[in-house]
Amino acid sequence: MKKLLNNPWVVGVLALAAVAFVAHSLIPAGGSPGVSEVAEDAGNGELPGGESSGTTADAGSVRDAIKELSGNPAATRDPFSSRAKAVAVSATPAEKVPAPDVVETVRLTALWTQNGGTYALINERICRVGDKLGRITIETATQDGVWVTHWKGRDFIALGAAFTLTTPALKAAALSLSTDS
């Protein structure tokens, strides 16, 4: 291979073949080389066929050429344009999605007695008897824990324990309506 590349005749033939391939790729596929030729005459402003170059004819051909080059504007996407938001349409609008349940968690962290009253640290908030935490009311507090009342009844929360009250959405709505009036 090294001997072939050192031979000037072989290198010349390869260079001519490369020039031929480049020229072939630049010729349009229509086969008519006269269509892509551009005649320039800086002196008189006339085209080779005896036609004068008018601005109206040139403007029309320039517009046509730009339209042809641009192709289908919908096929190209502008990355900086805002995107159209898709509107989600439910397949069954008559069917309602049930609302999520209301979940309240109460964690008793500390208990202490001060000036004759018992205080509790619940959910990092200082509370005493009668305070409400959402739908949970503190009924009594002792040194062992706290008794709370809610719509389901009454529960004891020991020191360091947690209590979770799950209220169905329909029941929560009914409870909130009954307490508002």
Side-chain angles (χ1 to χ4, degrees):
M1 186 71 160
K2 188 176 182 181
K3 287 184 180 181
L4 287 175
L5 291 177
N6 285 335
N7 187 346
W9 289 99
V10 173
V11 172
V13 170
L14 288 175
L16 283 175
V19 168
F21 284 126
V22 168
H24 179 68
S25 68
L26 293 177
I27 294 175
S32 172
V35 172
S36 64
E37 291 179 7
V38 176
E40 291 183 356
D41 188 16
N44 58 8
E46 290 186 7
L47 296 177
E51 303 170 358
S52 65
S53 62
T55 57
T56 59
D58 287 342
S61 64
V62 170
R63 282 190 196 119
D64 294 338
I66 290 175
K67 284 181 183 177
E68 184 180 319
L69 286 176
S70 66
N72 185 5
T76 59
R77 186 177 72 85
D78 183 10
F80 298 105
S81 67
S82 61
R83 294 183 181 177
K85 294 183 180 180
V87 177
V89 177
S90 177
T92 56
E95 181 181 321
K96 289 187 177 181
V97 178
D101 295 341
V102 178
V103 178
E104 294 175 284
T105 302
V106 175
R107 178 160 179 78
L108 179 62
T109 309
L111 287 167
W112 72 94
T113 303
Q114 180 178 349
N115 296 333
T118 303
Y119 295 91
L121 185 63
I122 299 175
N123 293 348
E124 299 179 9
R125 183 175 143 198
I126 299 173
C127 302
R128 52 186 189 180
V129 175
D131 287 351
K132 286 190 171 195
L133 301 166
R135 292 182 172 80
I136 300 172
T137 305
I138 301 172
E139 184 181 333
T140 57
T142 64
Q143 292 302 316
D144 296 327
V146 174
W147 283 96
V148 294
T149 57
H150 44 81
W151 70 273
K152 286 184 178 179
R154 182 175 174 217
D155 282 303
F156 181 76
I157 304 172
L159 185 60
F163 171 74
T164 302
L165 175 67
T166 304
T167 306
L170 295 175
K171 180 71 173 178
L175 287 173
S176 67
L177 288 177
S178 66
T179 57
D180 289 342
S181 53

